């Protein structure tokens, strides 16, 4: 076997040429911005009002160190500045007795009355309570203590301390009610995120909103993220109307802080490898099994097997899985510059990420640059946010319909990987010798250069004007332009008999062009004990997708791999579609004495996805909260720093399952006829779309409580939710007399998701020592309440459809036959009777004994049952952090319980019907001398359906507990670093997936769905393991430097 | 300043409110054609019409597969071999073991209704397209002709549906369903169905001006006035309206025809009705057009004549005949048959080359593979003689003497342009041909004037039967050995009246015999058996046979389940 070398690729390798151009461009913009700052500063100086008093001061932390970036605001006004790098600020106040409000994330808000002073020095106290945190609630912000709905704030600090490959991974296990399924471990593949269960048989991806603009987060650089919030209940997500039903993830990116430019670098390097593999039979074991199978099946064993049985095997044995798996490099370089003045800030970052993957030919590269700035001039605020991301990944190819890991198990070891004497250099196989058709997976992968390129440009600008003291108007215009390209080059290869007979090249590109314009009025008034905020917004949005595709075959030389050099087999394709939306939305937030709080949202959405009469939908919600801890009767309980009860109800829509034009019936072309021996083209109505399609509706009730004890050292949040999806889209069969015997999609179904969410945080600091523990768990009950009488069968596997979704069961529950065991002998077959008649008269010893669940004496499809659900009933996460002096250690466990996996892999490891190789499980098979076993006999063509019946033979316990992350860091002493003019240096090592506790016997229990993408089939094919790209075990070392 | 901002805001909101309806109306799906915008030229009207025809040669809903199989299989022409894997429900259908969950039954129902949808689409959009086109070449006459064709096609589908499922089980759909309410519809009464199909056929008859299928300048394969007339006649005779049927048939017959309905004539040779080189000939009233199999061949493809590989037994030494799920339900010599059995091909002994030899009605050789001294298949230059291979005496599914259907098949594997599999061919299916009409006319006369047996009288059934029998005696050099056996010998079928006398048959029995011999495995039997109400003596080997009602298919369960308006 050829040794795989890990290339230690220098950072910023040659692949960055294109992004460098972009960086140059952005640098220009950056310089322009810096000039603008100077201009703004000058303007500010000149516009100073003569009556005002200038107050200067310094902000320090408890250690007496100056604190940059602290917000200083004159109470009751919008006048504010940000403390500079030395903690100094200068602010103009209207009156000598004005009050200044100092705030900073993680610190208690401090109010200082000036009482005529013009110079002050204040010390900020760290807040152990998170109540003062500002939570982004969608179209606004709120203090955490005022939040009335179920919003989870994701601790983003973790991302910078132990980086993740993509942002959704950072959501896994950290907050209750949010389930993240590692959907294939393939580099660049996004995990599937489900918020509060699976609410539909259709698409249920949450809405991602980045800096106020709905966006895809696939290529976002996690290091750019400042904060991430999950809107879980309908009360919070209803403000996103027709797209909020699956929950909303709100992401705010980093922006600069006041002060001199600050430069930081964060980089790491590591390796990834598979943590588990599958042992396969060697050639002699294979020969024995195959001979046995052929004898049992009345067929002839392949000559190689017969030969090995007679003479033994002394040839080479290829470790196929070993050749497919590799130790892959993973590294990232992240670099940012930020800063600001008293009236503006800027932020600039560039990052490069590369991951080789743990299977050969699956690399992923990502480059991203981002810049933003925010400025204030009198009552006018404005800013922009510009991002460019570029991602490239290689798609795993296969040959002949089998996945490469499947081929890796099924192919026999006598076949070498390479054959230098044939075109392409990879070995084929001799079917007449080995009797099977598993082909060389290494050749299949390496000779198919299939790349995806994902390019994304996002830019938005905003302007905000304070019309009156209490009324502000903000307008945001954003553009999101993406280009998704695929380039699939299959090189002519001789791997007889499975050749790539011709070089083929297919290229496609899909562009999306999306703009959104939001206009928002916000009114806030505090009068006496009343605090009222009213928001009204008008948004319009336009989304266009355009695609083109072309392909050709036969290229004379491998290096001329462009379409113009193809010589035939041309294909072209292309499409375009448009979605447009208009929304009116509003919110009222009212609080009385900070104890009684009410929030009401309303959104009215109009969408081009729907036909007349259904274009508009209304999405209201309301939530109430009562801060009991502020009541006088609680004042004596000093240990209780916060106790709040919340409840909410809302109606939200899910428009994801509905594509553009779905309500319009189209025409089919190519329905041709022949006259006079010539073809005449025809176009006609050939199927119907439902003109009255509308949103799926989610109605959700939530009740929860937040409890803070011992000044926030212990925080507990509990929620119960009841989330009902109505009008779920279901394919309903048409009467064939309509002219179409297919289905029409109707709003008919209903699904319930309910459960408890619980989270607990414990924090403690004493001297140099601090620790925190956070745990959370979620229970989930998922049940289909109504399918309109039309259950859906889905989940394609080798034996057949593995899942069924019907009333009374969870979505996508596994459905099949029940295996009672393996018949040890003929007597047991003869004894298996119903009313004196043998139930399985054709079975042979070693075949599976199927349960006659219907009790009618025959084994048929009526004997199938619901075998278990892939949806965990219980998920949890637990993290712990300890810091002592410069050291910090964090551990993060995550796990699921109560779910089942349909291990389609068993059809490979215990197949034994097609002369393929098998896993070592096959050694446990029934033989006349090994009669008591759970693995049936080896037999060609599977007469008893041992393999080809969907059965609970394939059902495995999917529970696991996993040490997702362990990270140890050390921050160099300031005394040391300051000499080098560096403010902070932290070095760290992180290990991911180091420990996994599971009973699942194959590559990895953390699987998502065998259907990729965002369609409903993801939910209906969940938990089917057909040889997933396993999650990697990763070790990295990194460094963070702040200059 | 504040006022200006307010003004601006008001303008913004008003601006958008005024055009928001347009803004969220994005109906222009560039990747699809939509009915409301597509059909506005003559070419597009033609495309709607072409698609209405397309149902005839589609795989899923046409005669390439499901509808064709049912057309040929339902009856007693064929029996199941039990050999074709995965063909269980079709085997059951050949045996009249009919259950309304069987896929052949739902495929038949679904297929015809799809074709009805396509015909309705054409009927709906063509007048609108003419109005929108403003095209001087798209005259009212042109439109009338198009509409006539579409009416014919809709009637053809309904004719068959009613024939298979019964007049009282038919859902009359006169337009393309548009809303939820349109999908579910209850079946009409038998009377309504009758009037509806009759009206469509008369409409087609009046709108179509071209008579012959092979009129120059009118693409071969299009519906004609003759086709509409023939179908109307068949429609009447199947319901016992002999006078009306006779009036329609008469319009088509040589010597008595009305010229505007087409001057049809029998082809010189019987065989011309089955070869790919003599498609759309003077005898052909309506044919389903198949395409060049070199371009189209392949499992599941449209436009290819796939059917006849199904009806010939597969043998390893003749592997080219690879499907084989049904073979002719036929015996050359059946000693158990009563003397009055009309379902036998005629045969007699002649001395040929000094040897007493059994000779058959010529049509036997054209209809079957496997007759002694019969037609041979030439595979890659090697002649395969069925009898010499010993297959004729094999027992298959309990029957001895195994034949194959030669009609429509080609005789050698290089007859096609590139010598590919001869059983995927571009040979057309002759759905209605003149000898069928002649014999049906004879049947009308036999019912209307049973006593008239004057051979030379055009008002006697005998006259028309003799025309068909005389043509059967015409011999073309097809496979030389078939006819060499006849050189210098009598070799002629007796006249109709001689046969009647010899067998002691009634006029109707004579007609039953003649239709059996003339139209074996052309899909005539299912209608004939139903009309004649013949019972088990014709279908003795069919285990599901329960009498002539077995020729009516049950309405598929899927329709009953999915159509809320279905009475239950």
């Amino acid at each position: 076997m050829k040794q795989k070398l890990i290339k230690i690729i220098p950072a910023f390798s040659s692949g960055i040429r294109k992004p460098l151009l972009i960086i140059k461009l952005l640098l220009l913009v950056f310089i322009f911005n810096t000039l603008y700052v100077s201009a703004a500063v000058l303007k500010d100086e000149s516009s100073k009002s003569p009556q005002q008093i200038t107050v200067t001061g310094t902000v320090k932390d408890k250690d007496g160190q100056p604190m940059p970036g602290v917000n200083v605001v004159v109470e009751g006004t919008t006048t504010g500045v940000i403390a500079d790098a030395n903690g100094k600020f200068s602010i103009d106040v209207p009156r000598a007795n004005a009050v200044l409000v100092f705030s900073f994330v993680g610190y208690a808000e401090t109010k200082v009355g000036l009482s005529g002073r013009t110079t002050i020095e204040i010390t900020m106290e760290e807040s152990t309570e998170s109540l003062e945190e500002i939570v982004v609630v969608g179209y606004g912000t709120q203090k955490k203590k005022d939040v009335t709905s179920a919003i989870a704030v994701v601790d983003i600090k973790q991302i910078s301390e132990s980086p993740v490959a993509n942002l959704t991974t950072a959501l896994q296990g950290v907050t209750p009610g949010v389930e993240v399924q590692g959907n294939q471990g393939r580099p660049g593949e996004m995990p599937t995120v489900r918020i509060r269960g699976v609410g539909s048989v259709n698409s249920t991806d949450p809405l991602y909103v980045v800096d106020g603009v709905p966006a895809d987060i696939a290529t976002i650089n996690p290091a750019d993220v400042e904060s991430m919030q999950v809107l879980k209940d309908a009360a919070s997500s209803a403000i996103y109307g027709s797209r909020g039903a699956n929950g909303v993830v709100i992401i705010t990116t980093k922006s600069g802080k006041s002060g001199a430019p600050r430069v930081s670098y964060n980089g790491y390097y590591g390796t990834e490898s598979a943590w588990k593999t599958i042992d396969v039979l060697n050639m002699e074991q294979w020969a024995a099994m195959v001979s046995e199978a052929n004898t049992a099946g009345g067929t002839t064993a392949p000559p190689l097997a017969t030969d090995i049985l007679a003479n033994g095997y002394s040839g080479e044995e290829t470790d196929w899985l070993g050749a497919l798996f590799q130790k892959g490099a993973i590294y990232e370089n992240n670099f940012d510059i930020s800063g600001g003045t008293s009236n503006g800030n800027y932020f600039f970052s560039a990052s490069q990420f590369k991951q080789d993957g743990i299977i050969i030919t699956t690399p992923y590269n990502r480059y991203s640059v981002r810049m933003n700035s925010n400025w204030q001039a009198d009552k006018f605020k404005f800013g922009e946010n510009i991002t460019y991301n570029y991602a490239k990944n290689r798609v795993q190819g296969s040959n002949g319909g089998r996945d490469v890991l499947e081929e890796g198990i099924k192919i026999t070891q006598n076949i070498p990987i390479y054959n230098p004497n044939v075109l392409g250099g990879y070995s084929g196989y001799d079917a007449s010798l080995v009797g099977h058709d598993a082909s060389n997976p290494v050749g299949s992968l390496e000779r198919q250069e299939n790349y995806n390129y994902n390019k994304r440009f996002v830019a938005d600008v905003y302007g905000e004007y304070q019309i009156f003291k209490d009324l502000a108007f903000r307008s945001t215009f954003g553009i999101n332009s993406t280009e998704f390209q695929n380039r699939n080059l299959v090189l002519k290869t001789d791997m007889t008999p499975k050749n790539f007979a011709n070089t083929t090249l297919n290229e496609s590109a899909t562009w999306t062009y999306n703009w959104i314009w939001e206009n928002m009025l916000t009114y806030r008034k505090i009068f006496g004990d009343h605090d009222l905020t009213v928001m009204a917004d008008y948004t319009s949005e336009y989304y266009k997708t355009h695609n083109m595709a072309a392909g050709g075959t036969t290229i004379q030389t491998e290096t001329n791999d462009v379409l113009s050099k193809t010589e035939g087999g041309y294909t072209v394709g292309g499409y375009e579609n448009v979605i447009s939306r208009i929304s009116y939305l509003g919110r009222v937030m009212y609080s009385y004495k900070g104890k009684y709080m009410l929030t009401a949202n309303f959104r009215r959405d109009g969408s081009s996805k729907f036909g007349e009469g259904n274009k508009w939908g209304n999405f209201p919600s309301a939530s109430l909260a009562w801060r009991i801890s502020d009541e006088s009767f609680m004042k004596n309980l000093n240990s209780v720093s916060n106790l709040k009860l919340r409840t909410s109800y809302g109606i939200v829509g899910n428009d994801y399952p509905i594509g553009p034009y779905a309500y319009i019936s189209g025409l089919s072309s190519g329905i041709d006829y022949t006259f006079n021996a010539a073809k005449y083209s025809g176009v006609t109505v050939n199927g119907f779309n439902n003109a009255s399609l509308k949103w799926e509706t989610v109605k959700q009730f939530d009740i929860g409580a937040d409890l803070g004890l011992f000044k926030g050292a212990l925080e507990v949040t509990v929620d119960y939710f009841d989330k009902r999806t109505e009008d779920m889209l279901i394919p309903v069969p048409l009467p064939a007399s309509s002219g179409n015997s297919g289905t029409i999609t109707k709003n008919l179904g209903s699904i319930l998701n309910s459960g408890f969410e619980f989270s607990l945080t414990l924090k403690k600091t004493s001297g140099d020592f601090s620790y925190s523990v956070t745990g959370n768990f979620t229970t989930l009950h998922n049940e289909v309440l109504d399918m309109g009488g039309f259950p859906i069968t889905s989940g394609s596997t080798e034996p057949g459809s593995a899942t069924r979704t019907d009333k009374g069961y969870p979505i996508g529950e596994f459905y099949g036959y029940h295996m009672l065991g393996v018949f040890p002998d003929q007597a047991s077959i003869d004894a298996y009777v119903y009313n004196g008649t043998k139930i399985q008269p054709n079975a042979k010893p070693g075949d599976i004994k199927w349960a006659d669940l219907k009790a009618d004496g025959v084994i048929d499809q009526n004997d199938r049952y619901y075998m278990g659900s892939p949806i965990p009933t219980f998920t949890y996460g637990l993290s712990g952090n300890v810091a002592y002096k410069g050291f910090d250690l964090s551990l993060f466990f995550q796990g699921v319980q109560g779910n089942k996996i349909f291990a389609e892999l068993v059809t490979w490891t215990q197949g034994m019907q097609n002369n393929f190789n098998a896993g070592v499980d096959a050694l446990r098979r029934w033989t006349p001398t090994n009669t008591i076993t759970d693995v049936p006999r080896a037999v060609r063509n599977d007469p008893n359906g041992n393999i080809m019946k969907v059965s609970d033979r394939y059902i495995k316990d999917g529970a696991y507990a996993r040490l997702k992350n362990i990270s140890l860091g050390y921050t160099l002493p300031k005394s040391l670093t300051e000499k080098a003019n560096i403010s902070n240096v932290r070095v760290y090592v992180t290990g991911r997936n180091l420990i996994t506790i599971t009973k699942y016997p194959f590559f990895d229990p953390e699987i998502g769905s065998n259907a990729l993408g965002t369609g409903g089939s993801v939910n209906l094919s969940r938990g089917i393991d057909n040889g997933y790209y396993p999650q990697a075990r990763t070790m990295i070392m990194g460094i963070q430097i702040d200059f | 300043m504040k006022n200006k901002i307010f003004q601006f805001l008001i303008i913004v909101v008003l601006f958008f409110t005024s055009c928001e309806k347009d803004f969220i109306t994005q109906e222009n799906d560039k990747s699809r054609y939509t009915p409301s915008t597509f059909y506005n030229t003559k070419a597009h009207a033609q495309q709607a019409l072409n698609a209405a025809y397309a149902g005839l040669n589609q795989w899923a809903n046409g005669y390439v597969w499901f509808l064709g199989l049912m057309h040929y299989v339902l009856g007693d022409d064929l029996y199941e071999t039990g050999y074709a894997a995965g063909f269980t429900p079709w085997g059951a259908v050949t045996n009249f073991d009919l259950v309304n969950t069987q896929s052949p039954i739902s495929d038949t129902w679904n297929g015809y209704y799809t074709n009805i949808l396509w015909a309705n689409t054409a009927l709906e959009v063509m007048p609108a397209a003419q109005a929108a086109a403003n095209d001087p070449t798209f005259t009212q006459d042109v439109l009338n002709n198009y509409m006539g064709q579409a009416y014919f096609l809709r009637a053809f589908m309904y004719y068959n549906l009613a024939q298979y499922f019964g007049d009282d089980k038919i859902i009359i759909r006169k337009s393309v369903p548009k809303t939820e309410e349109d999908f579910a519809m209850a079946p009409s009464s038998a009377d309504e169905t009758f009037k509806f199909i009759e009206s469509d056929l008369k409409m087609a008859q009046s709108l179509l001006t071209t008579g012959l299928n092979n009129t120059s300048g009118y693409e071969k394969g299009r519906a004609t006035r003759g086709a509409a007339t023939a179908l109307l006649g068949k429609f009447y005779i199947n319901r016992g309206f002999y006078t009306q049927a006779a009036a329609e048939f008469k319009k088509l017959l040589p010597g008595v025809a009305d010229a505007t309905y087409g001057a049809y004539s029998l082809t010189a040779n019987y065989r011309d009705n089955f070869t790919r080189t003599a498609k759309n000939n003077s005898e052909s009233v309506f044919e389903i057009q198949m395409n060049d199999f070199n371009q189209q061949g392949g499992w599941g493809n449209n436009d290819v004549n796939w059917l006849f590989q199904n009806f010939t037994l597969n043998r390893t030494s003749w592997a080219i005949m690879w499907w084989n799920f049904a073979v002719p339900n036929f015996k050359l010599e059946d000693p158990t048959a009563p003397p009055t059995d009309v379902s036998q091909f005629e045969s007699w002994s002649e001395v040929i080359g000094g040897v007493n030899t059994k000779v058959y009605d010529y049509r036997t050789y054209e209809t079957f593979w496997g007759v002694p001294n019969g037609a041979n298949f030439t595979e890659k230059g090697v002649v395969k003689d069925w009898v010499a291979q010993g297959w004729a005496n094999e027992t298959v599914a309990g029957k001895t003497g195994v034949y194959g259907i030669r009609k429509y098949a080609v005789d050698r594997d290089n007859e096609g342009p590139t010598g590919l599999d001869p059983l995927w061919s571009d040979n057309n299916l002759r759905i209605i041909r003149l000898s069928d009409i002649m014999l049906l006319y004879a049947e009308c006369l036999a019912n209307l004037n049973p006593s008239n047996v004057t051979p030379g009288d055009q008002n006697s059934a005998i006259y028309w039967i003799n025309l068909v029998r005389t043509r059967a005696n015409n011999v073309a050099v097809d496979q030389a050995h078939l006819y060499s056996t006849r050189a210098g010998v009598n070799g002629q079928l007796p006249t109709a009246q001689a046969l009647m006398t010899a067998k002691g048959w009634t006029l109707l029995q004579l007609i039953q015999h003649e239709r059996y011999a003339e139209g074996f495995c052309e899909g005539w039997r299912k209608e004939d058996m139903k009309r004649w109400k013949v019972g088990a003596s014709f279908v003795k080997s069919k285990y599901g046979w329960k009498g002539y009602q077995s020729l009516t298919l049950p309405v598929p369960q899927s329709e009953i389940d999915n159509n809320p308006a279905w009475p239950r």
Side-chain angles (χ1 to χ4, degrees), chain A residues 552-571:
Chain A
T553 62
T554 312
I555 296 174
Q556 304 280 352
T557 57
E558 290 190 5
T559 50
N560 294 86
D561 52 353
V562 289
L563 282 170
S564 63
K565 281 286 164 282
T566 57
E567 296 179 358
Y570 304 120
T571 57

Side-chain angles (χ1 to χ4, degrees), chain A residues 379 465-468 471 473 515 517 519 521 538 540-542 544 574-582 584 606-612 615-616 660-692 733-741 744 746 790, chain B residues 1-2 5-6 8-9 12-13 16-17 19-21 23-35 38-39 44 46-48 50-58 109-110 113-114 117-118 121-122 149 171 173 176-178 180 183-185 218-222 279-280 286-291 296 302-303 558-559 562-564:
Chain A
K379 291 178 174 177
Y465 186 75
Q466 196 75 30
I467 304 169
F468 303 116
L471 181 69
F473 171 70
W515 63 253
W517 188 21
N519 296 285
L521 278 170
Y538 172 83
S540 51
E541 195 178 353
Y542 181 87
K544 182 193 251 182
Y575 60 84
E576 182 176 302
N577 60 54
V578 172
I579 298 168
S580 48
R581 293 188 181 94
I582 286 177
Y584 301 95
S607 167
S608 70
K609 283 184 173 185
F610 306 94
E612 281 315 313
K615 282 201 184 296
W616 293 93
Y661 320 113
Y663 67 98
I664 305 171
S665 296
L667 297 173
S668 298
S669 46
I671 300 184
D672 307 334
Y673 196 64
T674 299
F675 295 117
N676 238 2
K679 202 141 190 155
Y680 283 68
S681 73
V683 177
T684 194
V685 172
N686 192 24
F688 308 104
N689 290 18
N690 184 353
S692 54
L734 280 162
S737 65
S738 65
N740 187 295
S741 53
I744 192 163
K746 287 189 185 175
F790 303 101
Chain B
M1 181 68 184
K2 279 165 193 164
I5 294 218
F6 269 128
F8 171 73
L9 281 179
V12 164
V13 170
F16 271 96
T17 311
C19 62
E20 68 178 19
K21 191 169 181 298
F23 184 73
I24 58 166
T25 301
Q26 303 285 349
E27 290 179 348
N28 182 19
D29 183 354
K30 293 184 175 178
S31 309
R32 285 188 308 172
Y33 301 126
T34 42
F38 179 74
Y39 300 107
H44 290 171
Q46 288 169 342
Q47 289 189 310
N50 296 338
Y53 277 98
L56 298 171
N57 69 5
Q58 300 288 300
W109 175 272
N110 302 357
Y113 277 108
T114 298
L117 171 67
W118 294 357
T121 304
Q149 294 179 55
I171 295 168
R173 292 190 182 269
V176 177
K178 298 198 177 52
E180 184 86 354
F183 291 117
M185 276 181 79
Y218 193 65
E219 289 94 349
K220 290 172 188 170
R222 292 197 181 277
K279 301 192 281 197
N280 300 314
F286 189 65
E287 284 184 21
I288 289 172
Q289 309 288 312
M290 296 296 175
N291 213 325
Q296 299 295 321
N302 301 327
D303 300 356
S558 53
E559 176 71 24
N562 301 330
N563 184 351

Side-chain angles (χ1 to χ4, degrees), chain A residues 136-150:
Chain A
V136 183
V137 294
Y139 299 91
T141 56
Q142 235 177 337
K143 274 186 191 165
K144 193 173 179 188
K145 76 174 181 199
D146 295 336
V147 167
T148 51
S149 51

Side-chain angles (χ1 to χ4, degrees), chain B residues 147-167:
Chain B
M147 293 296 283
Q149 294 179 55
Y151 276 116
F152 172 82
L153 290 164
R154 187 167 76 178
F156 179 81
M157 306 308 163
Y158 270 112
Y159 171 97
N160 284 295
L161 265 182
Q163 194 65 41
Y164 283 125
F165 294 96
D167 287 2

Side-chain angles (χ1 to χ4, degrees), chain A residues 170-477:
Chain A
L171 274 173
Q172 190 173 29
V174 298
T175 182
V178 179
E179 194 206 347
V180 177
Q181 307 162 36
N183 213 9
Q184 307 245 24
R186 178 182 302 144
E189 200 70 66
M190 294 295 282
T192 302
V193 177
R194 295 289 174 257
I195 296 171
R196 292 190 163 176
V198 183
S200 171
V201 297
N202 302 302
S203 309
T204 49
D205 284 358
L207 175 70
Y208 295 96
V209 176
V210 180
D211 295 325
V213 179
D216 183 346
I217 60 157
T219 53
I220 207 166
N221 173 15
D224 283 347
V225 174
E226 172 80 42
S227 77
M228 184 150 68
Q229 266 105 60
V230 185
L231 313 186
K232 296 191 287 192
D233 63 349
S236 53
S237 63
I239 200 72
Y240 289 98
S242 61
R243 284 182 287 172
N246 302 318
V248 181
V249 179
I250 296 189
I251 292 149
T252 309
T253 59
K254 285 178 182 164
S255 54
K257 305 267 184 298
S258 186
R262 304 204 300 168
V263 177
S264 52
Y265 169 83
N266 188 351
Y268 63 85
Y269 178 85
T271 58
E272 296 190 299
S273 55
W275 66 278
K276 198 170 178 182
T277 186
I278 290 174
D279 293 328
V280 298
L281 303 183
N282 64 31
M283 286 310 290
E284 281 166 7
Q285 291 166 330
W286 170 79
M289 174 188 74
V290 162
S291 305
E292 212 175 288
N294 281 285
T295 305
T299 45
T300 312
L304 180 63
T306 314
D307 179 55
I308 293 172
L309 275 192
N311 307 315
Y313 184 77
S314 56
E316 294 288 313
E317 293 194 341
T318 304
D319 175 6
W320 283 103
L321 288 176
L324 288 168
F325 285 114
Q326 66 179 1
K327 196 169 205 181
I330 179 168
Y331 62 85
E332 182 170 352
N333 290 293
N334 200 76
F335 165 82
D336 64 55
I337 305 174
S338 64
T341 68
S342 59
N343 55 356
N345 62 57
Y346 56 87
F347 176 86
F348 168 82
S349 79
S351 93
Q352 177 218 19
F353 173 77
K354 179 146 195 305
Q355 193 177 5
D356 286 340
I358 59 171
I359 293 180
I360 57 169
T361 73
T362 56
Y364 176 71
N365 294 276
R366 184 182 64 223
Y367 303 97
S368 74
V369 288
R370 167 181 293 274
M371 70 165 306
N372 64 49
S373 65
N374 300 286
W375 310 106
Q376 181 158 16
D378 192 20
K379 291 178 174 177
F380 189 50
K381 275 194 214 165
F382 60 97
E384 92 295 320
N385 208 326
I386 299 168
T387 312
Y388 181 82
N389 294 311
Y390 168 94
K392 174 186 175 186
N393 67 301
R394 185 162 171 181
V395 182
Q396 213 176 316
S398 67
N399 183 12
R402 271 182 219 121
D403 190 82
V404 287
L405 290 182
E406 180 177 0
E407 297 266 33
I409 290 172
K410 287 184 168 179
I411 190 169
T412 43
Q413 296 178 337
N414 64 307
I415 299 163
I417 301 174
Y418 303 102
N419 178 356
N421 302 321
V422 296
L423 180 69
Y426 296 90
S427 296
Y429 62 94
D430 181 352
S432 66
L433 186 69
V434 295
H436 66 71
D437 69 344
S439 69
N440 185 335
V442 176
S444 298
L445 284 176
E446 294 188 339
R447 296 293 284 174
Q448 296 186 76
E449 298 179 5
N450 189 352
Y451 286 94
N452 286 336
Y453 302 84
N454 217 326
K455 304 167 193 175
R456 179 177 301 275
F457 175 78
V458 185
D460 57 77
V461 290
Y462 74 89
E464 190 175 322
Y465 186 75
Q466 196 75 30
I467 304 169
F468 303 116
K469 182 167 159 282
D470 304 319
L471 181 69
F473 171 70
R474 182 183 169 107
S475 185
T476 307
F477 184 78

